[in-house]
Amino acid sequence: MLSNEPFLFLLKGTKLMSIDNNDYTAWKITDRNTCEQQKIKSELSQNGSSFGANCYISPLANICCSTLQLDQDCLIMADVLIRTAQVKMGRNSTLNPQVYLQGPIEMGDDVRIGPKACLIAENHNHADVLRPIIRQGNSSKGIVIGSDVWIGAGAVITDGITVGSHSIIAAGAIVTKDVPPYSIVGGNPAKLLRNRIETCFADRIKQFCKTVEEQIAVVVQSRVVAGVYVDTSENQSPIRAWCDAVELLA
């Protein structure tokens, strides 16, 4: 019987197999507490992982030698690879298909990590030129992602980086320096493109400044009595009123 449910067809060897497309769009899955999900979470919990309510872990995700600490409503979609990692995800955070995570990574609430993004919180040591790099071990500082962060497709974030809350990492960006909150960064290496607060409030601030410019002289002059600036309170000394006037005019 034909179904209207969308499917993705993959060729595996010589056999055509179908995979429910919802594993690549997991936000469409309403029942996240199936027997399959309970089994996946139970097996991962044996290695120290924990899961809040309403999380979904795709059976097509690859989680190798890693622990997960997920708050409620988190999604890990198909083809995600988490390898030798310790991952902590806040509420309502999502790893989209083909995301790669390695090392200690902590993220806040409402984080979206786009397809094929790589967060690698680990480095090969290489200080000793007399020994092969592969024999010098690894080091790790960890990656911290704030809340309300969107990491675009194909972005790379390197070890030791902190991405401030409410920031956007553009697709394909290579992040090698900390990102302040409310920033939009992009490029290789990533650079600050603009500040979201300045962009959001630019027109309103411009209008406010125009209003101030139009009204400030009248407002300040209205507080002059007998050639002296006065405060609205009788208990305030005249010097306070003069200081207020200087600040406003400046």
Side-chain angles (χ1 to χ4, degrees), residues 3-250:
S3 169
N4 291 327
E5 185 71 11
F7 282 85
L8 175 68
F9 293 95
L10 299 177
L11 190 62
K12 186 176 182 180
T14 57
K15 181 181 179 182
L16 189 67
M17 60 181 293
S18 63
I19 300 175
D20 189 339
N21 201 30
N22 280 349
D23 262 305
Y24 292 85
T25 55
W27 60 86
K28 297 180 180 179
I29 298 173
T30 55
D31 185 3
R32 300 179 183 176
N33 195 37
T34 62
C35 292
E36 180 182 51
Q37 281 297 297
Q38 292 178 25
K39 181 179 179 181
I40 291 172
K41 294 170 186 175
S42 176
E43 291 178 355
L44 290 170
S45 295
Q46 294 176 16
N47 293 325
S49 296
S50 64
F51 306 93
N54 207 38
C55 290
Y56 182 80
I57 314 297
S58 171
L60 300 178
N62 299 285
I63 302 171
C64 311
C65 304
S66 300
T67 57
L68 308 176
Q69 307 293 325
L70 273 56
D71 207 329
Q72 63 188 38
D73 298 313
C74 290
L75 301 176
I76 297 179
M77 298 195 204
D79 298 333
V80 166
L81 174 56
I82 302 176
R83 187 178 67 149
T84 60
Q86 305 83 48
V87 179
K88 183 176 181 180
M89 297 171 64
R91 291 181 290 104
N92 191 36
S93 294
T94 298
L95 306 181
N96 278 283
Q98 298 186 33
V99 164
Y100 176 71
L101 303 182
Q102 181 175 331
I105 299 169
E106 180 176 345
M107 60 191 79
D109 302 333
D110 302 308
V111 174
R112 291 292 179 273
I113 302 184
K116 297 186 178 181
C118 295
L119 280 65
I120 306 176
E122 195 169 63
N123 278 308
H124 288 288
N125 297 325
H126 53 81
D128 188 349
V129 296
L130 301 179
R131 284 194 298 160
I133 293 172
I134 60 172
R135 296 181 183 175
Q136 297 186 47
N138 297 338
S139 60
S140 178
K141 297 178 181 177
I143 292 172
V144 177
I145 309 296
S147 295
D148 183 34
V149 172
W150 173 22
I151 298 173
V156 176
I157 300 179
T158 57
D159 186 33
I161 298 301
T162 295
V163 177
S165 296
H166 317 290
S167 293
I168 298 172
I169 309 300
I174 310 297
V175 183
T176 59
K177 294 182 179 179
D178 287 350
V179 177
Y182 291 98
S183 297
I184 300 177
V185 302
N188 179 13
K191 296 180 180 179
L192 179 65
L193 302 179
R194 59 182 179 272
N195 179 280
R196 293 184 65 206
I197 293 179
E198 293 176 1
T199 302
C200 179
F201 292 102
D203 291 340
R204 278 174 278 186
I205 291 174
K206 184 178 180 180
Q207 182 58 47
F208 174 74
C209 291
K210 181 180 179 182
T211 302
V212 169
E213 186 177 359
E214 293 171 348
Q215 299 180 4
I216 187 65
V218 174
V219 171
V220 173
Q221 187 63 32
S222 68
R223 304 312 305 163
V224 177
V225 177
V228 177
Y229 289 110
V230 296
D231 201 281
T232 55
S233 171
E234 295 181 358
N235 296 325
Q236 291 286 359
S237 63
I239 190 64
R240 171 62 184 271
W242 279 93
C243 290
D244 289 344
V246 170
E247 291 180 5
L248 288 170
L249 290 169

